[in-house]
Amino acid sequence: MTPVRVGVFGLLGSGNVGNDGSLEAVLGYLRTQHPEAVVDAMCGGPRTVTRRFGIPARRLHWYRDEYRTASRAGALLGKAFGKLADAVRTAAWVRRHDVVIVPGMGVLEATLPLRPWGFPYSLFLLCASGKLLRTRVALVGVGADTIAGRPTRALVRWSARLAAYRSYRDEHSRAVIAAMGVDTTRDPVHPDLAFALPAPTGSTGARGQVCVGVMDFHGNNDERARGEAIRRRYLEEATRFVRALADEGRRVRLLTGDTCDTPVAEAVIRAVDSPLVSAAEVTSLADLMAETAAADTVVATRYHNLICALRTGTPTLAIGYAAKSEILMEGMGLGAYTHPAREIDADRLIEQFRMLEKQSEQVRELLSERNRDIDRQLSGQFDRLTADLFPTGLLTAGLFPAPSPSHREP
């Protein structure tokens, strides 16, 4: 019998540390509970995934500039041909696997600008190929939200229907997919996959340090027309908040969660112009957790910035841009400490920040208790995944392969 063949699929290795953290959690599970599995990836950044995680990887899209706006005829033709080529490439890749896992991420939502022919189309190709070729496609710990655009909503609905296994990171996500007409009665809900990553045991930060997570925020997919106005307000108010902290003598570390956030952090540093404000180098969720563990308080926008802060037990204030942030904070007992990203107001943010710091000791005790509950839930998640995706008879001797040029696509 041949070893079980497992593929991982998604916008991985593309600069978003939350996505890569979800992949890291799934690979940790596979290496611990299924060391016999042979694993490779179809993803956005194959070279990064191979270098960092040691698995073979190939490009998600045939057309290399898939996520750049096409204006010339040649680029438009390239994109159009790429969609046809991707249908063939995806099916050929899927058929070589027994199981394909989409590890976490908000793959069933459009809370940030997203075109239907981008990743939603890619996910549909994956799930349709799995159904046609009898390869089990698993959407593991994914996020979902209400989608207004008809084409995107249709692709997401059919992707969910065609998947062999679905689990969600919160009840809201399951309810959204159920409202689309998908039978979710057997779909489990578990904590976000990133909670499975180990948290640092000690902190080395300066006393009084505050972490502020910033984001290149333009609103959601339905707010493209006013995206620049949303971004401008967010940047102005975030800068006011950081300046107020620096004026009080607080040391501030700016955090990011995606490579596109770096210019925002740089703009804040230039505008505040204080030696107390610096940006952390973040390339993984481990980096984020090291920073948040060392802080007295965290104020952050990106979802996985929040998870890292909460996982390390640090008092956290969320600048939320989607329902998932509010749900996460409510679940951790910090529903009072959320602030709307679209209507961000530095004065109100400072008030909430000071309230949170007054309750710091009680909040740390609360987060410690909630994290213990999450640890218990996580063990159940991976046991369920094994039972549903890896029948005993399918598992045979094998191992994770070392990277090989023959497995990689440039």
Side-chain angles (χ1 to χ4, degrees), residues 316-339:
T316 304
L317 172 57
I319 305 174
Y321 64 89
K324 59 187 177 184
S325 301
E326 295 178 6
I327 293 165
L328 174 66
M329 295 295 284
E330 286 283 354
M332 299 299 284
L334 299 180
Y337 299 107
T338 60
H339 188 96

Side-chain angles (χ1 to χ4, degrees), residues 41-347:
M42 191 172 199
C43 58
R47 292 181 179 176
T48 299
V49 167
T50 295
R51 182 179 66 252
R52 182 174 172 195
F53 299 108
I55 61 174
R58 63 173 52 218
R59 290 201 319 272
L60 185 62
H61 302 290
W62 176 85
Y63 186 66
R64 291 177 182 271
D65 294 328
E66 174 63 33
Y67 292 104
R68 293 182 183 178
T69 301
S71 55
R72 296 182 179 181
L76 290 170
L77 287 173
K79 275 199 172 187
F81 179 78
K83 297 305 171 188
L84 298 175
D86 286 344
V88 176
R89 293 174 65 253
T90 302
W93 180 77
V94 167
R95 74 182 304 166
R96 294 199 294 269
H97 298 84
D98 301 298
V99 176
V100 175
I101 296 175
V102 179
M105 306 176 285
V107 297
L108 304 179
E109 64 182 50
T111 53
L112 296 175
L114 181 72
R115 299 294 190 189
W117 54 83
F119 187 76
Y121 173 74
S122 300
L123 184 65
F124 170 74
L125 291 180
L126 171 74
C127 296
S129 297
K131 190 73 170 180
L132 180 66
L133 300 170
R134 298 184 180 181
T135 296
R136 293 177 65 78
V137 173
L139 310 181
V140 179
V142 298
D145 209 340
T146 304
I147 300 172
R150 281 180 151 183
T152 303
R153 186 171 67 249
L155 288 168
V156 164
R157 179 174 64 249
W158 277 105
S159 296
R161 282 180 174 170
L162 294 170
Y165 175 94
R166 296 175 298 270
S167 66
Y168 309 96
R169 62 190 179 194
D170 53 52
E171 286 286 356
H172 173 75
S173 295
R174 181 165 65 179
V176 165
I177 297 303
M180 290 183 184
V182 179
D183 182 3
T184 63
T185 52
R186 298 188 61 209
D187 298 355
V189 174
H190 299 288
D192 190 273
L193 287 169
F195 279 109
L197 298 175
T201 55
S203 62
T204 58
R207 186 173 182 179
Q209 181 167 291
V210 180
C211 283
V212 177
V214 296
M215 179 179 176
D216 186 27
F217 179 60
H218 295 76
N220 65 27
N221 204 50
D222 302 317
E223 297 172 312
R224 289 176 179 271
R226 61 189 191 99
E228 282 307 312
I230 291 172
R231 183 184 188 276
R232 185 165 54 252
R233 173 169 179 165
Y234 174 87
L235 179 57
E236 289 173 355
E237 295 301 306
T239 300
R240 283 184 60 212
F241 176 69
V242 171
R243 182 180 291 113
L245 293 177
D247 288 346
E248 292 178 1
R250 301 294 292 270
R251 189 172 297 276
V252 179
R253 291 282 279 174
L254 299 181
L255 306 179
T256 58
D258 195 295
T259 51
C260 67
D261 300 334
T262 301
V264 178
E266 292 173 345
V268 172
I269 289 173
R270 286 195 303 270
V272 176
D273 191 23
S274 168
L276 295 174
V277 181
S278 62
E281 290 188 18
V282 173
T283 60
S284 68
L285 292 190
D287 292 341
L288 277 173
M289 281 195 265
E291 293 288 343
T292 59
D296 282 4
T297 310
V298 175
V299 180
T301 306
R302 279 202 181 269
Y303 183 72
H304 283 95
N305 277 200
L306 297 173
I307 285 182
C308 288
L310 297 167
R311 187 57 168 160
T312 56
T314 306
T316 304
L317 172 57
I319 305 174
Y321 64 89
K324 59 187 177 184
S325 301
E326 295 178 6
I327 293 165
L328 174 66
M329 295 295 284
E330 286 283 354
M332 299 299 284
L334 299 180
Y337 299 107
T338 60
H339 188 96
R342 289 168 182 78
E343 290 82 37
I344 182 172
D345 178 84
D347 295 330

